[in-house]
Amino acid sequence: MRTVYLNGSFIPENEAKISIFDRGFLMSDGVYEVTSVIERKLIDFEGHFHRLERSLFELDMKNPLTKEVLLSIHKSLINKNGVNNGLIYLQITRGSAGDRDFVFPDPETTPQTVVLFSQNKENLLDSPSAISGIKIISIEDQRWGRRDIKTTQLLYPSIGKMMAKKVNADDAWMVQDGYVTEGTSNNAYIIKNGKIITRAKSNDILHGITRAAVLRFAEEAQMEIEERNFSISEARDAEEAFITSASSFVTPVVSIDGQNIANGSPGPMTQRLREIYLDESIKTAI
Ligand code: PDD
């Protein structure tokens, strides 16, 4: 059985209990992070920590834990649960004020809820989707307007994945005013005339930690990058397409709405970017 972390204690997962009045449960009033583990080491912990601080700040919440404490909890979970390859999930909510109320409780008297758990994923690096690519569909983006904050409001992304599953696809790209925002749990890219094209950062998308790293490594490798909007029809005619996230790294997209991208197999630039990303981030993993 897994050992999880809840509010200062490491306990078996079946003993970890939170209040029914927790605002994470009642209001999705919480933020989260997912950090990948490769060969027992954390990929880009620093980046995830900074985004966590930003998400908390944007929602007027304090960070209850220092970077050092948080890192040591991540490390303990890796050790206690023997995670070679997998993920560490972290969630911080505004806690429970002992009743349901839209108004935020007084942070001085309402402690936040902090939960971390690990997920073992032995085939994280060589998953079938990394090798053969994923099929995606396009759907309308019906999420709220602050997608740059990593909140636990994941109902629409979850519905999007179900819409994809229903038609034997793997995921969905969301579209707003004719342009792709991002995937349900990843950032979206196409390659055209040898250039990497991805939507610029704004409140419309999550500022992916993997996105930042991939764009940095691509620039260092002298690849051209254009941060701009693109449509589904442009994506369908692209040379390549891919997604990035902490759990999928760089994963090829091979078809959109049932139409193949190029010849329907993972593209060479995408494969190279995945290799560069993994090599470089494993070097600095902690
Ligand atoms: N999702 N966009 C959305 C909407 C996301 O939920 C995620 C991450 C990303 C990629 O961000 P990063 O590169 O920092 O993982 C983009 C995580 C993995 C999840 O919900 O499981």
Side-chain angles (χ1 to χ4, degrees):
M1 191 186 297
R2 254 184 305 194
T3 296
V4 303
Y5 174 92
L6 172 61
N7 298 332
S9 316
F10 290 97
I11 47 177
E13 62 182 64
N14 62 350
E15 286 172 26
K17 306 250 166 32
I18 60 167
S19 165
I20 61 161
F21 299 116
D22 194 282
R23 291 181 60 89
F25 176 64
L26 294 180
M27 311 266 176
S28 292
D29 189 358
V31 301
Y32 77 108
E33 280 297 330
V34 176
T35 305
S36 59
V37 177
I38 299 179
E39 284 160 20
R40 301 184 85 90
K41 287 186 169 173
L42 295 158
I43 302 296
D44 223 332
F45 173 80
E46 191 82 20
H48 288 282
F49 177 77
H50 284 303
R51 186 174 60 194
L52 172 69
E53 292 228 291
R54 180 181 183 278
S55 296
L56 289 165
F57 175 80
E58 292 295 324
L59 294 178
D60 207 13
M61 275 194 248
K62 283 193 206 123
N63 187 353
L65 300 171
T66 63
K67 187 162 78 180
E68 291 67 34
V69 169
L70 216 48
L71 177 59
S72 102
I73 300 169
H74 278 73
K75 287 281 183 195
S76 299
L77 288 175
I78 293 173
N79 292 332
K80 286 177 197 294
N81 296 310
V83 184
N84 293 320
N85 296 308
L87 306 168
I88 304 290
Y89 177 87
L90 151 88
Q91 181 171 334
I92 300 178
T93 79
R94 209 181 302 271
S96 158
D99 203 353
R100 181 172 182 267
D101 189 349
F102 282 84
V103 174
F104 291 175
D106 179 355
E108 297 305 320
T109 51
T110 306
Q112 287 159 288
T113 302
V114 181
V115 170
L116 284 96
F117 59 81
S118 60
Q119 293 182 301
N120 276 297
K121 289 191 190 288
E122 267 321 312
N123 75 347
L124 189 67
L125 282 175
D126 45 18
S127 62
S129 53
I131 296 155
S132 43
I134 60 165
K135 295 180 205 159
I136 59 137
I137 58 165
S138 60
I139 61 173
E140 194 192 328
D141 198 333
Q142 294 186 354
R143 297 172 301 161
W144 78 326
R146 288 303 307 274
R147 304 155 190 160
D148 56 310
I149 309 173
K150 199 162 172 61
T151 76
T152 56
Q153 302 175 79
L154 297 177
L155 182 55
Y156 190 69
S158 197
I159 288 171
K161 297 242 196 228
M162 292 312 292
M163 287 161 85
K165 199 174 166 188
K166 238 179 230 161
V167 295
N168 282 321
D170 304 290
D171 206 347
W173 280 5
M174 295 175 282
V175 176
Q176 170 177 286
D177 301 330
Y179 295 106
V180 174
T181 51
E182 59 187 330
T184 59
S185 62
N186 43 66
N187 290 115
Y189 308 73
I190 57 170
I191 294 176
K192 221 182 147 185
N193 301 322
K195 280 188 200 158
I196 301 165
I197 297 161
T198 194
R199 194 179 176 106
K201 288 198 295 186
S202 70
N203 291 354
D204 294 335
I205 62 166
L206 186 75
H207 305 175
I209 301 306
T210 320
R211 178 189 184 280
V214 164
L215 294 185
R216 193 170 68 243
F217 299 144
E219 209 175 323
E220 284 166 13
Q222 253 90 65
M223 294 179 180
E224 275 186 87
I225 300 158
E226 247 182 78
E227 290 184 67
R228 64 156 172 89
N229 286 357
F230 63 88
S231 65
I232 286 293
S233 72
E234 189 178 6
R236 297 209 307 189
D237 291 337
E239 289 138 28
E240 302 182 30
F242 63 95
I243 55 163
T244 66
S245 74
S247 51
S248 67
F249 310 120
V250 175
T251 293
V253 169
V254 293
S255 88
I256 301 181
D257 292 330
Q259 186 189 308
N260 280 351
I261 312 269
N263 67 2
S265 43
M269 263 183 82
T270 302
Q271 281 170 315
R272 179 151 172 251
L273 273 171
R274 181 178 171 91
E275 278 166 27
I276 298 175
Y277 173 76
L278 287 171
D279 284 352
E280 293 300 318
S281 22
I282 288 168
K283 270 188 217 161
T284 55
I286 53 171

